[in-house]
Amino acid sequence: MKGAGILLVFLLTPMTGMASDSAAVTPAEAYCKWKMVDYGVPEPLCGLQGDAGRGRRIVLDSGQGNCLACHRLPVDGVEGYGTIGPPLAGVASRLTRAQLRLRVVDARHLNPYSIMPGYYPDLALINRPAVKYRGRAFLPAQAVEDVIAYLATLK
């Protein structure tokens, strides 16, 4: 019975971590719906134009795209590459922009067992996101379009 009393005190104690988590929430950017057509997403997200230079920085940034964690990229001076995903050298010769966009947005539409993270998935399909991630994609639409612009240069 003594253990039950300790459990009751624990259950009645306010969870301070939960309050601070929700207090740190900032408004999410407007989410743009996208549509898969013939194994690709033909329209740029939100009608945005990507910038290859910014996309390259996002791809190499471990706090944003972190593509190097899984993919080999044709980038000089980088010693550690991941080998889980396919190499990205020449990817623009193999895939269209629409096909690249689908893979970055949410590769699980091609392979439900893919471990490739969806950087701009359908938010309605995310199951129980943490409070600070509700209503958010991992990358904003502009960043996704920047990544697509960079990947399109890898011929």
Side-chain angles (χ1 to χ4, degrees), residues 80-151:
Y81 292 99
T83 57
I84 295 170
L88 296 178
V91 70
S93 298
R94 298 186 300 271
L95 300 172
T96 66
R97 280 183 183 249
Q99 291 168 328
L100 289 169
R101 189 173 292 109
L102 179 60
R103 282 156 175 79
V104 173
V105 164
D106 195 349
R108 283 169 275 189
H109 284 271
L110 296 169
N111 176 0
Y113 301 107
S114 175
I115 61 170
M116 167 85 174
Y119 287 96
Y120 203 83
D122 181 341
L123 299 179
L125 300 178
I126 298 174
N127 186 25
R128 297 176 21 181
V131 171
K132 65 182 180 179
Y133 294 110
R134 285 186 192 147
R136 296 185 157 63
F138 292 108
L139 287 178
Q142 182 63 64
V144 170
E145 289 304 320
D146 293 341
V147 168
I148 300 310
Y150 170 66
L151 294 175

Side-chain angles (χ1 to χ4, degrees), residues 32-34 42-50 101 120 141-142 145:
C32 301
K33 294 280 187 186
W34 50 269
E43 299 299 320
L45 301 178
C46 307
L48 297 167
Q49 186 73 28
R101 189 173 292 109
Y120 203 83
Q142 182 63 64
E145 289 304 320

Side-chain angles (χ1 to χ4, degrees), residues 2-86:
K2 184 177 178 183
I6 293 171
L7 177 62
L8 181 61
V9 169
F10 174 75
L11 291 174
L12 294 176
T13 303
M15 302 297 275
T16 56
M18 290 175 66
S20 64
D21 191 31
S22 63
V25 174
T26 56
E29 74 166 7
Y31 180 83
C32 301
K33 294 280 187 186
W34 50 269
K35 184 177 179 180
M36 182 176 77
V37 177
D38 295 328
Y39 303 103
V41 177
E43 299 299 320
L45 301 178
C46 307
L48 297 167
Q49 186 73 28
D51 177 87
R54 284 192 312 249
R56 183 179 189 277
R57 288 189 294 278
I58 293 166
V59 162
L60 300 176
D61 186 336
S62 63
Q64 289 188 313
N66 198 23
C67 302
L68 292 172
C70 297
H71 299 277
R72 175 176 278 284
L73 281 147
V75 177
D76 292 332
V78 177
E79 294 181 21
Y81 292 99
T83 57
I84 295 170

